[in-house]
């Protein structure tokens, strides 16, 4: 099975769905933040390993404690995955903290600040610089 085959894509989507449901409703560990989402999942073609990128809304302390809680609950999560999805092998899950959502929010705020600053400069009587001169 190739890495980007239709079958592998379906398996990735199904594993992502089950992981999200299990993290949201099945784990009672207080270290895991309720604002945890599974961003992406990549199951190896041999179904032996799985990388799960997660995103946590909160400070650095909440992210670290959520990652520790997920690592300690990996056996339970793997068992739930095996019960829900009928695969030849149940993959070992490696959780990776995903920073892309946080990065996107930060960049959006920076863009908004630059636009607001440009609007203030234009309102103060300064001439905007034409795009050809940039």
């Amino acid at each position: 099975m190739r890495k980007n085959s239709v079958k592998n894509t379906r398996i990735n989507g199904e594993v992502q769905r089950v992981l999200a449901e299990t993290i949201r409703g099945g784990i009672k560990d207080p270290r895991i933040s309720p604002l945890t989402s599974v961003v992406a999942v990549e199951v190896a073609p041999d179904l032996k390993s799985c990388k799960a990128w997660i995103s946590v809304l909160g400070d650095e302390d909440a992210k670290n404690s959520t990652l520790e809680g997920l690592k300690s609950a990996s056996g339970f999560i793997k068992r739930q995955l095996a019960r829900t999805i009928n695969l030849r092998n149940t993959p070992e899950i490696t959780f990776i903290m995903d920073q892309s959502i946080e990065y996107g929010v930060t960049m959006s705020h920076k863009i908004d600040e630059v636009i607001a600053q440009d609007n203030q400069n234009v309102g103060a009587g300064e001439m905007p610089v034409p795009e050809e001169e940039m």
Side-chain angles (χ1 to χ4, degrees):
M1 178 169 64
R2 291 185 320 230
K3 189 172 186 175
N4 56 357
S5 69
V6 174
K7 181 179 178 183
N8 201 322
T9 304
R10 280 195 329 240
I11 290 172
N12 289 343
E14 192 66 19
V15 169
Q16 181 176 357
R17 184 186 64 77
V18 172
L19 278 178
E21 287 176 3
T22 304
I23 291 171
R24 188 179 324 114
I27 301 174
K28 294 175 176 47
D29 192 338
R31 295 179 291 182
I32 298 175
S33 171
L35 300 174
T36 302
S37 60
V38 180
V39 177
V41 170
E42 184 179 301
V43 179
D46 63 354
L47 304 176
K48 298 279 187 186
S49 64
C50 169
K51 293 179 185 176
W53 284 270
I54 59 164
S55 177
V56 179
L57 187 61
D59 59 346
E60 198 65 33
D61 211 21
K63 292 176 185 180
N64 292 335
S65 65
T66 298
L67 201 56
E68 287 300 315
L70 288 173
K71 285 180 182 177
S72 70
S74 64
F76 172 77
I77 295 171
K78 183 176 177 180
R79 189 169 59 246
Q80 290 298 108
L81 194 63
R83 287 180 182 166
T84 308
I85 303 175
N86 186 19
L87 294 174
R88 183 179 313 134
N89 298 316
T90 303
E92 286 292 328
I93 304 166
T94 304
F95 292 102
I96 302 168
M97 190 59 65
D98 184 48
Q99 305 292 341
S100 63
I101 294 175
E102 182 179 329
Y103 178 75
V105 169
T106 303
M107 292 307 291
S108 178
H109 286 302
K110 288 181 180 180
I111 291 170
D112 291 342
E113 289 173 6
V114 169
I115 290 173
Q117 188 177 18
D118 280 350
N119 289 341
Q120 287 177 350
N121 290 344
V122 171
E126 293 182 22
M127 293 296 294
V129 179
E131 291 184 17
E132 297 88 38
E133 294 179 13
M134 287 186 186

